[in-house]
Amino acid sequence: MDGWRVGPRDVLEKLEDPTQIDDVDPKTYSFRVYVHMETGDTRYLHLNTGMWIGSGVRRGTEVIYDAYRVS
């Protein structure tokens, strides 16, 4: 997965500090991802060629994101 975050410097700095992450409003920054999937299982080969995008937030030590296949 590749991605980027964009927002004011002070907000991005808080996202790097585990003690302040939960105080950051997700509306104050953008977090976008591009997901790469790879499998050798023939049942899921269609995932290898899909284009997947998503957005996410940080909560504590977790990164939570939603990914969607673009067709």
Side-chain angles (χ1 to χ4, degrees):
M1 177 172 60
D2 292 318
W4 60 94
R5 289 186 298 214
V6 179
R9 175 178 281 159
D10 63 319
V11 171
L12 297 178
E13 287 173 354
K14 287 179 184 177
L15 291 174
E16 297 299 324
D17 183 347
T19 65
Q20 296 186 46
I21 290 173
D22 290 336
D23 297 330
V24 178
D25 182 350
K27 295 176 186 165
T28 60
Y29 66 98
S30 293
F31 178 17
R32 302 294 182 254
V33 295
Y34 175 75
V35 182
H36 306 270
M37 295 197 193
E38 183 177 337
T39 181
D41 188 321
T42 57
R43 296 174 295 170
Y44 303 109
L45 288 177
H46 64 281
L47 297 178
N48 293 345
T49 59
M51 179 177 172
W52 298 82
I53 59 171
S55 64
V57 297
R58 289 218 35 202
R59 287 287 172 237
T61 58
E62 297 178 316
V63 176
I64 302 166
Y65 66 92
D66 295 314
Y68 305 91
R69 184 175 181 181
V70 178
S71 55

